[in-house]
Amino acid sequence: MRRSERALKWIALSLSCLGLVLSASASALDVGARDVIAPPAGIAGVSIAVRHRNIEGSAKINQTRINARIDRKNIDLRYGRAGVLAGLPTYGYVNVPWVDYDVGSEAAGLGLSTGHGLGDVAIAGAIWPYSDRQKGRHWAVAAYGILPTGEYDSAHTAGVNLNPGNNRFAGILQSGVYQRLSQRLGWMGVADVMVFEDNDEFIGDDLAGRQPGRLEVKPYITYQTALNYQVSPALNLAASYYVDRGAETRQRGGDWKSAVNRERYGLNARLALSPTLQVGLTYKSTVDDVSGLEIKDVVRLRLLRFW
């Protein structure tokens, strides 16, 4: 094997957990197929990602269902570093997003106010209680905190939340396993639960009164599984499947409603452009979604520089 090929093969391993995907709202925390592999201690990286999410369907405004289209655009800047704690591999990162919204279809005629600017800062920490590189077997446990630092105005919550921030703290506990199946093929399985602080400044579907009230959200559970295939030392392809459940909501102490019952798939490609530079492209869509507003497509392009 040539020296350049050995370097790129090491990159594929080193970057395995640097691709965690963390959104700032009540949506799933998706991880890449190789993100559960423990990284080498001391590796650090900075990345910038551009993400577009398209949501379409019907929204209940003033007891009336209307067609709506919401486009959310993110630019995420992230710094992460791997280390060792009590002899176990660790990894942590800080993510700062910039968010912008655009509303279309019938909802555009209601004059819904949208926000743009800095979103909620996310911090994350992971530890690997078990990691065997020779067997290609890893088990990771992670905790995430989404801080209410983003720009927020209750006027941007008439109908749905169209703020960059969420005006509440959210926390996530996650556990995942990875198993190498062959020299090129691997499997990943992950489960996580997300909990939310109450938001006391949310208008919701009371578009006539426009008076903020309390929004409560029950825990949100996501199951993920993925297969990855290493085409070459520089190129890795993956296919993922996600099952999202829970996150029932209620406003102003009313009835619980709008539970998430969604299944999604994702396709991902990662390419090492050099020993210290990587680019990734991800596409996700929905297989089945019984909620009024359905996530249609998510596209993300990410550039990572590490040392």
Side-chain angles (χ1 to χ4, degrees):
M1 181 182 294
R2 296 193 304 270
R3 182 178 179 180
S4 60
E5 291 179 341
R6 288 198 301 268
L8 290 174
K9 188 174 183 179
W10 184 83
I11 291 169
L13 174 64
S14 300
L15 296 177
S16 58
C17 85
L18 299 181
L20 300 178
V21 180
L22 184 61
S23 60
S25 60
S27 57
L29 171 60
D30 299 342
V31 299
R34 295 176 60 86
D35 290 347
V36 186
I37 300 176
I43 187 172
V46 62
S47 71
I48 184 169
V50 179
R51 178 158 45 102
H52 178 268
R53 182 170 63 185
N54 172 246
I55 301 172
E56 296 182 8
S58 62
K60 189 176 182 181
I61 308 295
N62 286 345
Q63 307 304 315
T64 302
R65 288 281 177 184
I66 65 168
N67 294 324
R69 189 194 76 245
I70 301 172
D71 293 318
R72 173 177 169 139
K73 295 174 281 292
N74 275 50
I75 299 176
D76 295 291
L77 183 64
R78 179 175 303 176
Y79 171 78
R81 185 174 182 85
V84 177
L85 178 64
L88 300 176
T90 62
Y91 176 70
Y93 72 70
V94 177
N95 188 88
V96 181
W98 185 89
V99 183
D100 186 35
Y101 284 97
D102 181 51
V103 177
S105 194
E106 291 180 324
L110 295 177
L112 299 181
S113 179
T114 62
H116 65 273
L118 291 177
D120 292 340
V121 171
I123 57 175
I127 190 168
W128 280 257
Y130 177 84
S131 178
D132 189 327
R133 297 194 185 281
Q134 290 186 339
K135 295 181 180 179
R137 188 176 301 158
H138 304 265
W139 169 41
V141 179
Y144 307 79
I146 304 174
L147 311 180
T149 58
E151 297 186 27
Y152 186 89
D153 185 340
S154 62
H156 299 153
T157 65
V160 293
N161 183 20
L162 298 174
N163 280 291
N166 289 280
N167 195 42
R168 66 185 178 197
F169 173 84
I172 303 169
L173 288 177
Q174 185 179 72
S175 183
V177 295
Y178 180 90
Q179 176 62 60
R180 186 177 63 234
L181 303 178
S182 68
Q183 184 177 359
R184 295 180 179 269
L185 188 65
W187 170 83
M188 177 271 288
V190 170
D192 61 66
V193 59
M194 186 175 189
V195 294
F196 308 90
E197 183 185 26
D198 295 344
N199 179 2
D200 292 327
E201 296 291 329
F202 191 84
I203 294 176
D205 60 10
D206 182 24
L207 207 58
R210 290 183 181 261
Q211 294 300 312
R214 172 169 293 185
L215 171 68
E216 300 172 77
V217 183
K218 288 185 177 181
Y220 182 31
I221 299 172
T222 298
Y223 307 97
Q224 309 172 41
T225 188
L227 288 173
N228 75 273
Y229 183 76
Q230 190 171 343
V231 179
S232 70
L235 178 61
N236 191 83
L237 303 179
S240 304
Y241 197 83
Y242 313 90
V243 177
D244 306 322
R245 297 290 187 267
E248 293 175 281
T249 64
R250 71 173 178 181
Q251 301 174 30
R252 302 176 179 83
D255 295 333
W256 291 99
K257 58 183 179 179
S258 304
V260 174
N261 188 359
R262 177 190 303 123
E263 297 182 22
R264 303 172 289 125
Y265 72 90
L267 303 172
N268 175 266
R270 295 186 187 180
L271 176 65
L273 303 177
S274 76
T276 59
L277 189 64
Q278 184 196 53
V279 63
L281 180 63
T282 302
Y283 172 80
K284 297 175 186 176
S285 189
T286 301
V287 177
D288 183 38
D289 192 346
V290 299
S291 58
L293 289 173
E294 177 181 337
I295 299 177
K296 291 293 186 180
D297 302 287
V298 179
V299 179
R300 187 189 72 155
L301 180 65
R302 185 165 183 250
L303 185 67
L304 170 66
R305 171 74 163 83
F306 79 99
W307 55 91

